[in-house]
Amino acid sequence: MAIPLVRLHSECLTGDVLGSLKCDCGPQLKAAIAAIEASGWGILLYLRQEGRGIGLINKLRAYALQDQGFDTVDANTRLGFAVDARNFAVAGRMLTLLGQKTVRLLTNNPDKVVALQASGITVAERVAHKLPPNPHNERYLATKRDRTGHQL
């Protein structure tokens, strides 16, 4: 059997459900589903880690700071949180339980690759997951690229 295309998608109520243009989460989720379908088979793990792991209420507080000019990194740290508080070890465990020891990972986030590998999953390929920016998320995407190492 071919190596599955896998997407680890962290919950984003504002982007996935409400269609917020401040992030790229909703479009990423839709594109991931299309890419998995086009690849023939794959796995989408929808992880309950809203707001990079800080929860919905704190994410909305971070949004308020962003409206004052802070980027996503500074907003999170100003609220007393890590830049990214998500834990991807659970995704590694889920893939192990599904019998998937080797994956093609659909991500721009190098931390996801490292976390899966630390969980014993072989990432045979990192598949880029780049979508065009919009006027509302250009700064957000630049921050992901410049401050958190996303490969955009």
Side-chain angles (χ1 to χ4, degrees):
M1 183 176 280
I3 298 172
L5 182 62
V6 172
R7 171 73 182 161
L8 309 181
H9 188 85
S10 295
E11 173 184 32
C12 178
L13 176 70
T14 54
D16 298 342
V17 178
L18 302 177
S20 173
L21 298 175
K22 290 181 79 145
C23 64
D24 59 343
C25 301
Q28 276 196 12
L29 180 58
K30 289 179 182 126
I33 291 168
I36 289 169
E37 181 181 19
S39 77
W41 92 283
I43 300 166
L44 171 69
L45 297 179
Y46 194 83
L47 306 171
R48 301 294 309 264
Q49 301 189 96
E50 179 77 48
R52 292 191 185 145
I54 65 173
L56 180 60
I57 297 300
N58 289 316
K59 176 177 150 178
L60 295 176
R61 289 180 177 131
Y63 271 7
L65 288 172
Q66 290 168 39
D67 289 343
Q68 295 173 29
F70 294 95
D71 67 20
T72 57
V73 168
D74 291 335
N76 276 19
T77 58
R78 191 170 178 86
L79 290 171
F81 297 105
V83 171
D84 191 337
R86 294 176 294 179
N87 180 342
F88 297 108
V90 68
R93 181 70 180 135
M94 293 165 82
L95 290 167
T96 298
L97 291 171
L98 290 170
Q100 301 305 315
K101 293 288 199 176
T102 302
V103 300
R104 296 170 51 238
L105 189 61
L106 184 62
T107 189
N108 298 320
N109 185 345
D111 291 342
K112 290 181 181 180
V113 175
V114 171
L116 284 187
Q117 290 173 332
S119 297
I121 303 297
T122 299
V123 178
E125 178 186 8
R126 184 193 67 81
V127 178
H129 194 46
K130 185 174 181 195
L131 301 171
N134 70 57
H136 306 283
N137 72 10
E138 286 176 324
R139 184 168 180 236
Y140 166 81
L141 293 174
T143 298
K144 283 172 75 170
R145 181 193 64 226
D146 299 340
R147 300 205 56 201
T148 62
H150 282 66
Q151 298 165 333
L152 298 175

